[in-house]
């Protein structure tokens, strides 16, 4: 994914700030949303969780290191400060969850049935928060946002968005996540994984912790444009992942060639 981020930014000719933001997003680990999507897609949920934990723990070192290597040619990157922020955002919740599991097992057992719904609601609210704080503010403060406030038809508004800098950001984020989903599935198939594992790897590779990307971009880079790709990803990634999970949910993973499931009474 970091390699895809760099290639796509070069291919689309993104500005320095947007290139750094896309690379930073690509260097982020998988998030908990990937586990929920894997569950919906009838993928291997334990494998997805293990991958999330491994990439999350590895992100303390790898996210700052890869960002410095790939994005350091554009702007100065303080890998040490990025590492500390990553640890605060992604490792602290894991430690807290492990403590609650060991200290209050009965309470955790009672709350477990509600956990999937809570995870979906939390992910949706977080994505909405990230979107409103970054994209909406960007639209309201930019000349592009002022042009959209004029009396334009919905079709012309969409055309204006797609032809603007924001449209290029949308395209770059779409390409990044599509590449992750596709290459993740293909690589799992090439090494002989079965369908549930292929789906889990595809979702895990294609979905990033965009919220972490926004936090790192906002805290350690002066240009607000760096946060634009991760903020846009918070919405686009969840739409793409949920759509893919919905499609896979209606395709039987146990069938060698895939078959649409017949609804059971």
């Amino acid at each position: 994914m970091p390699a895809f981020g760099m290639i796509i930014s070069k291919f689309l000719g993104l500005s320095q700030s947007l290139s750094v933001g896309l690379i930073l997003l690509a260097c982020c680990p998988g998030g908990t949303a990937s586990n929920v999507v894997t569950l919906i897609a009838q993928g291997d949920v334990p494998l997805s969780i293990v991958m999330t934990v491994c990439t999350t723990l590895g992100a303390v070192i790898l996210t700052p290191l890869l960002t410095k290597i790939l994005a350091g040619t554009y702007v100065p990157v303080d890998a040490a400060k990025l590492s500390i922020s990553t640890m605060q955002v992604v490792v602290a919740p894991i430690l807290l969850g492990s403590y609650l599991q060991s200290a209050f097992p009965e309470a955790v057992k009672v709350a477990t049935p509600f956990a999937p719904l809570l995870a979906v609601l939390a992910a949706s609210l977080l994505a909405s928060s990230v979107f409103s704080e970054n994209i909406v503010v960007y639209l309201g403060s930019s000349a592009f946002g002022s042009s959209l406030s004029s009396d334009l038809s919905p079709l012309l508004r969409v055309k204006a968005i797609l032809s603007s800098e924001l449209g290029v950001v949308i395209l770059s984020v779409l390409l990044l996540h599509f590449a992750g989903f596709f290459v993740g599935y293909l690589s799992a198939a090439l090494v002989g994984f079965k369908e549930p594992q292929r789906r889990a790897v595809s979702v895990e590779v294609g979905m990033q912790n965009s919220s972490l990307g926004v936090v790192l971009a906002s805290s350690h880079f002066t240009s607000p444009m760096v946060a634009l790709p991760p903020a846009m990803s918070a919405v686009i990634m969840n739409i793409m992942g949920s759509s893919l999970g919905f499609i896979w949910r209606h395709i039987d993973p146990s069938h060698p060639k895939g078959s649409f499931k017949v609804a059971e009474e």
Side-chain angles (χ1 to χ4, degrees):
M1 291 298 278
F4 282 137
M6 183 180 65
I7 292 171
I8 292 172
S9 65
K10 293 283 188 181
F11 177 74
L12 295 179
L14 298 181
S15 64
Q16 286 191 356
S17 297
L18 293 178
S19 296
V20 172
L22 189 68
I23 292 172
L24 178 62
L25 168 66
C27 292
C28 288
T32 54
S34 62
N35 307 140
V36 178
V37 171
T38 301
L39 176 65
I40 296 173
Q42 300 185 86
D44 191 329
V45 177
L47 174 61
S48 176
I49 294 174
V50 169
M51 292 181 68
T52 299
V53 172
C54 290
T55 56
T56 298
L57 295 177
V60 176
I61 301 298
L62 294 178
T63 294
L65 179 62
L66 291 171
T67 302
K68 184 174 181 62
I69 293 173
L70 298 177
T73 56
Y74 295 104
V75 295
V77 177
D78 192 331
K81 290 184 178 180
L82 281 177
S83 180
I84 294 174
S85 296
T86 304
M87 187 179 301
Q88 293 173 340
V89 174
V90 299
V91 177
I94 293 178
L95 297 178
L96 176 61
S98 300
Y99 170 74
L100 293 176
Q101 175 69 41
S102 60
F104 308 100
E106 293 301 323
V108 171
K109 186 177 180 180
V110 172
T112 297
F114 305 98
L117 177 60
L118 179 62
V120 172
L121 290 176
S124 301
L125 291 173
L126 191 58
S128 300
S129 173
V130 169
F131 183 84
S132 64
E133 290 183 6
N134 292 271
I135 306 299
V136 176
V137 171
Y138 165 77
L139 292 178
S141 60
S142 65
F144 167 68
S146 300
S147 67
L148 286 185
S149 63
S150 60
D151 297 332
L152 294 177
S153 66
L155 182 60
L156 290 178
R157 287 174 182 266
V158 172
K159 185 177 180 180
I161 291 175
L162 295 179
S163 61
S164 67
E165 187 177 47
L166 183 60
V168 178
V169 175
I170 294 173
L171 178 59
S172 66
V173 173
L174 281 170
L175 290 175
L176 178 66
H177 289 300
F178 176 80
F181 288 125
F182 178 75
V183 175
Y185 187 92
L186 181 62
S187 61
L190 290 176
V191 298
F193 283 0
K194 295 182 179 179
E195 183 64 19
Q197 288 75 42
R198 296 178 188 179
R199 296 180 182 183
V201 174
S202 174
V203 171
E204 193 65 32
V205 174
M207 299 188 71
Q208 309 296 102
N209 192 335
S210 54
S211 300
L212 172 63
V214 172
V215 170
L216 296 180
S218 303
S219 304
H220 301 284
F221 297 94
T222 55
S223 174
M225 298 296 289
V226 176
L228 197 56
M232 184 60 69
S233 170
V235 175
I236 293 177
M237 176 191 68
N238 284 293
I239 293 175
M240 294 179 68
S242 300
S243 301
L244 185 61
F246 178 80
I247 293 172
W248 269 336
R249 186 169 185 82
H250 292 81
I251 301 178
D252 189 355
S254 63
H255 194 281
K257 294 184 179 180
S259 61
F260 282 94
K261 295 175 62 178
V262 178
E264 298 178 359
E265 294 295 327

